[in-house]
């Protein structure tokens, strides 16, 4: 993350930064704000995983097994 910040590369959407009162310039300085941003990202990932699990039933056995293993690694 630090190397990316040095070249002004931020992977959170700008709308999320704004939601937490941040800008691309203030984000690197406000490390405490990374906690709620990271939590929001994890929550979104959890929702995506749940949606993905619903589709596993449509995969053949080997593919479904591979996806399930990868999901828990």
């Amino acid at each position: 993350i630090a190397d990316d910040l040095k070249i002004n590369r931020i992977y959170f959407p700008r709308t999320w930064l704004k939601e937490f009162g941040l800008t691309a310039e203030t984000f690197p300085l406000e490390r405490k704000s990374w906690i709620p941003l990271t939590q929001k990202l994890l929550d979104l990932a959890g929702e995506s995983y749940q949606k993905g699990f619903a589709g596993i039933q449509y995969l053949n056995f080997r593919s479904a097994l591979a996806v399930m293993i990868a999901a828990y690694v």
Side-chain angles (χ1 to χ4, degrees), residues 18-30:
K18 186 176 180 180
E19 179 180 333
F20 291 96
L22 300 167
T23 65
E25 293 75 28
T26 61
F27 174 76
L29 306 173
E30 301 288 336

Side-chain angles (χ1 to χ4, degrees), residues 37-67:
L37 280 167
T38 302
Q39 186 60 54
K40 181 174 178 137
L41 183 63
L42 291 171
D43 291 345
L44 181 62
E47 292 171 17
S48 295
Y49 268 86
Q50 292 305 314
K51 290 176 184 175
F53 285 135
I56 289 176
Q57 65 183 332
Y58 300 107
L59 299 175
N60 64 51
F61 176 77
R62 290 183 66 191
S63 296
L65 181 61
V67 170

